[in-house]
Amino acid sequence: NDHAPPHFHAETDKGEVRVFFLDEPARIESKWGRPPPRSIHRAIVEEARNHRVALLEEWHRKVAIIVPGSKG
């Protein structure tokens, strides 16, 4: 499942990253292309920290998958 754990995708001019925003600090993995420069990396981590609750709420609305028979 490509959707867990909760994350969002961010695009830069050089590639795309997945941002795992529940980690502290947020963990960034390159999906394709080059990793973002350090200044962009820091900005993404800071935005993830500042908006963690809203990001998780949106992730649950759009992506969270409930397994049949589970109590989720």
Side-chain angles (χ1 to χ4, degrees), residues 36-59:
R38 191 176 310 247
S39 61
I40 301 296
H41 185 280
R42 281 192 301 262
I44 292 170
V45 168
E46 184 66 23
E47 288 300 306
R49 180 181 295 121
N50 291 340
H51 301 284
R52 184 173 282 140
V53 171
L55 289 166
L56 186 58
E57 289 171 351
E58 183 173 351
W59 186 85

Side-chain angles (χ1 to χ4, degrees), residues 13-64:
D13 60 339
K14 306 278 189 221
E16 182 177 344
V17 295
R18 282 187 287 245
V19 182
F20 297 91
F21 56 86
L22 294 182
D23 293 348
E24 184 55 47
R27 180 170 46 96
I28 295 178
E29 292 181 355
S30 290
K31 185 170 180 182
W32 62 267
R34 299 181 68 192
R38 191 176 310 247
S39 61
I40 301 296
H41 185 280
R42 281 192 301 262
I44 292 170
V45 168
E46 184 66 23
E47 288 300 306
R49 180 181 295 121
N50 291 340
H51 301 284
R52 184 173 282 140
V53 171
L55 289 166
L56 186 58
E57 289 171 351
E58 183 173 351
W59 186 85
H60 278 294
R61 275 195 313 275
K62 293 182 176 181
V63 181

